[in-house]
Amino acid sequence: MWNSSFYDYLATECPNLLPQSGVNQNEINLSSNLINREALKNIPHGTTVLALKYKDGVIIAGDRRATEGYQISARRVEKVYRCDDYSAIAISGAAGACIEMAKLLQVELEHYEKLEGVPLTTEGKANKLSQMIKGNLPFAMQGMIVIPIFAGYDLKREEGRIYKYDVTGGRYEETDYYATGSGGKDARSTLKKFFSTGMSEEKAIQLALESLYDASEEDVGTAGPDIVRGIYPTVKVIKNTGIEDVDMASIESVYKRLIAEKQKSSKKEK
Amino acid sequence: MPLPYYVSPEQMMQDKAEYAQKGISKGRSTIVIEYVDGILFFADNPSLSLNKISEVYDRIAFAGAGKYSEFESLRKAGIRHADLKGYAYSREDVTAKSLANAYSQSLGTMFSQELKPLEVEILVAEVHEGQGMNEIYRILYDGNICDEKGYTVIGGKSEAIKIYLKDKYKANMPIEEAIKLSVEALETGVNIKLTKENMEVAVLDRKRNGRKFRRIRIDELTAFLG
């Protein structure tokens, strides 16, 4: 008999539907080190995704660009996914594997909730994701890396929580904020500088957007606000009333203000 | 050498059917009724945690009557069927019809092949956008499947309750009326007094975004029933 995990159900009943089903295990065992070092250098890893805590919960955001080598392959990619009413995942790594894992996690959480009649705890959700990333390790060794950020509102503790991961499924809880992807380091610098505990929702959204902007200035894999096409980063807010999208109009106005300020200060420099 | 007893197939099926019916008739009943915004599920259930009604997928819900352990495993199998289909294809491809057929197949097989038939009666319902487009399927212990319209009842005293509903049911009732009618029907049909703690109520509400299933909490029930 199966437990309440959809992932385990797939693994026993339909292993061909699991994300790592395309990997030839023998091939990896034979010459793992050789292929993989080369493969790892060339994988597209362009992205900036971040999460930060604020007064009422947690904000999770990401840019919209997908790259293939030096080419932009898509401008409207969604990197922040709602998992359930109180959690979201932001993905960085190889697009296909990432999106598949986000989708599988959504089904996993809903499946558990329906079978058991109660949702998983935030810790439980983060832990399940950890196991899924670990299961993806053979795939990751071939370059199909998935490194997400998981953010959720913990109804028992009444606070937002942020988890980061490594390739082996290692799970580490962050206390204030985190950013990952090729522009993660740059976004983290901005977050580090301006983050303070107990920020208002408005301030926290502004900081998230400014961090993404700074990352886009330094990193080719991260898109800035695209005013011409009207494409802006996605931002979701998770608090005790559930998860909601920050609407595009308010993101746009934050960016317009930010850009106006930057123009003003660069004119002064001249 | 002793000869094995001969039992005619007719006799065997009849015995199994009687056994299953006897088991089901001992249990309490669940009503499913269409109202203006969707489908209402109303179960007479003394337990707060052992549910008879459950969400299956975005627009689909399940109700079981009879032996709890048996319909509970059917419920879980249904959720697995739906989630697997939705994951492999798309969320819109999960339908009550395919789920009801799968239930019918497996109940039919169990009835004819296993020594002991399942003592259950189950319902699968799917809410649709238009009025009168909803689907309600009632599946019996032997795999028999019935397509129902408007209202239906499963469990112990289902015939008596159906007779009551037949006269009183109106199309497009608001939710309060549908809940009140369900209470009356259960109380008259079974001749008991229901307390709010004994009511398990849920809806498939087409006005909701995404997942249409929602349980009605006890404080909402109080408001509806006055």
Side-chain angles (χ1 to χ4, degrees), chain A residues 1-4 6 9-10 13-14 17-19 84 100 103-104 107 110-111 113-117, chain B residues 51 54-58 72-73 75-77 79-89 91 211:
Chain A
M1 204 54 209
W2 302 289
N3 55 23
S4 298
F6 183 69
Y9 175 64
L10 274 191
E13 287 299 292
C14 312
L17 288 176
L18 280 183
D84 60 10
E100 199 172 4
K103 187 180 158 193
L104 186 53
V107 180
E110 185 187 317
H111 189 77
E113 188 190 324
K114 288 189 291 197
L115 285 189
E116 300 281 324
Chain B
N51 292 323
S54 161
E55 175 185 17
V56 174
Y57 212 65
D58 292 353
E72 174 67 5
S73 63
R75 178 186 79 91
K76 287 187 168 166
I79 293 171
R80 290 195 179 100
H81 168 99
D83 277 342
L84 181 63
K85 205 168 175 200
Y87 181 72
Y89 302 103
R91 294 196 82 93
R211 288 156 75 179

Side-chain angles (χ1 to χ4, degrees), chain A residues 69-213:
Chain A
Y70 293 110
Q71 300 278 312
I72 293 172
S73 57
R75 295 177 208 281
R76 290 177 198 273
V77 173
E78 196 61 64
K79 297 176 189 176
V80 184
Y81 292 89
R82 172 191 184 281
C83 295
D84 60 10
D85 284 347
Y86 292 100
S87 66
I89 178 177
I91 48 173
S92 76
C98 282
I99 292 167
E100 199 172 4
M101 192 171 290
K103 187 180 158 193
L104 186 53
L105 183 66
Q106 286 168 338
V107 180
E108 173 76 31
L109 301 188
E110 185 187 317
H111 189 77
Y112 183 95
E113 188 190 324
K114 288 189 291 197
L115 285 189
E116 300 281 324
V118 282
L120 275 166
T121 57
T122 311
E123 184 87 22
K125 294 173 198 170
N127 200 17
K128 189 67 218 177
L129 179 58
S130 193
Q131 290 154 20
M132 284 163 64
I133 297 169
K134 192 173 155 201
N136 193 53
L137 191 61
F139 219 24
M141 294 305 277
Q142 302 223 329
M144 297 295 125
I145 286 181
V146 178
I147 306 210
I149 297 178
F150 182 79
Y153 186 82
D154 193 322
L155 288 162
K156 277 209 187 102
R157 294 199 193 179
E158 300 185 326
E159 60 167 0
R161 297 178 78 176
I162 299 168
Y163 296 88
K164 65 176 179 183
Y165 295 87
D166 65 25
V167 194
T168 61
R171 171 171 55 93
Y172 313 93
E173 185 167 4
E174 283 290 341
T175 50
D176 298 323
Y177 60 85
Y178 189 65
T180 189
S182 57
K185 194 168 166 290
D186 304 299
R188 279 201 302 276
S189 308
T190 308
L191 286 166
K192 186 178 170 186
K193 208 133 207 180
F194 298 108
F195 181 84
S196 62
T197 323
M199 280 189 291
S200 70
E201 188 173 315
E202 194 194 347
K203 279 264 168 59
I205 292 171
Q206 270 173 24
L207 178 54
L209 291 174
E210 194 168 346
S211 307
L212 288 172
Y213 185 95

Side-chain angles (χ1 to χ4, degrees), chain A residues 48-72:
Chain A
T48 304
V49 288
L50 59 85
L52 69 148
K53 290 191 195 172
Y54 78 104
K55 185 163 59 72
D56 302 326
V58 59
I59 309 263
I60 185 163
D63 79 304
R64 307 281 294 273
R65 177 175 292 174
T67 49
E68 271 169 23
Y70 293 110
Q71 300 278 312
I72 293 172

Side-chain angles (χ1 to χ4, degrees), chain B residues 30-224:
Chain B
T30 297
I31 296 178
V32 171
I33 189 162
E34 288 185 50
Y35 73 104
V36 66
D37 292 328
I39 305 169
L40 175 87
F41 295 75
F42 196 106
D44 170 10
N45 185 356
S47 169
L48 284 174
S49 49
L50 303 174
N51 292 323
K52 295 188 170 193
I53 304 164
S54 161
E55 175 185 17
V56 174
Y57 212 65
D58 292 353
R59 285 171 283 124
I60 305 171
F62 169 99
K67 211 170 182 182
Y68 179 79
S69 62
E70 292 177 350
F71 70 71
E72 174 67 5
S73 63
L74 287 172
R75 178 186 79 91
K76 287 187 168 166
I79 293 171
R80 290 195 179 100
H81 168 99
D83 277 342
L84 181 63
K85 205 168 175 200
Y87 181 72
Y89 302 103
S90 111
R91 294 196 82 93
E92 281 78 45
D93 294 318
V94 180
T95 59
K97 189 180 121 194
S98 115
L99 186 63
N101 269 316
Y103 276 135
S104 163
Q105 291 289 327
S106 61
L107 279 168
T109 313
M110 278 196 204
F111 182 76
S112 55
Q113 289 180 3
E114 302 286 320
L115 189 63
K116 176 200 163 310
L118 294 189
E119 298 154 71
V120 293
E121 206 172 344
I122 56 174
L123 269 169
V124 177
E126 178 172 4
V127 68
H128 286 284
E129 281 314 306
Q131 298 279 359
M133 309 265 286
N134 297 335
E135 291 170 68
I136 302 172
Y137 299 101
R138 189 163 59 92
I139 303 129
L140 303 181
Y141 54 85
D142 58 357
N144 243 319
I145 181 167
C146 321
D147 187 355
E148 307 277 357
K149 279 274 167 263
Y151 62 90
T152 191
V153 188
I154 52 170
K157 302 283 185 294
S158 55
E159 284 314 313
I161 300 169
K162 259 188 214 166
I163 290 168
Y164 186 87
L165 283 172
K166 197 181 169 192
D167 300 331
K168 300 282 172 72
Y169 173 79
K170 294 191 298 281
N172 298 333
M173 280 183 290
I175 188 163
E176 310 83 55
E177 249 180 73
I179 290 177
K180 276 181 197 148
L181 177 60
S182 305
V183 176
E184 282 164 23
L186 275 172
E187 287 186 338
T188 333
V190 191
N191 202 11
I192 44 152
K193 187 85 190 123
L194 276 176
T195 60
K196 287 188 188 84
E197 287 72 30
N198 274 11
M199 299 176 189
E200 183 186 348
V201 188
V203 286
L204 281 169
D205 180 351
R206 70 166 69 84
K207 283 188 175 163
R208 281 170 70 82
N209 288 324
R211 288 156 75 179
K212 311 286 186 198
F213 184 83
R214 187 170 80 87
R215 292 190 183 279
I216 307 282
R217 293 188 315 270
I218 202 155
D219 55 316
E220 292 176 272
L221 264 185
T222 313
F224 284 139

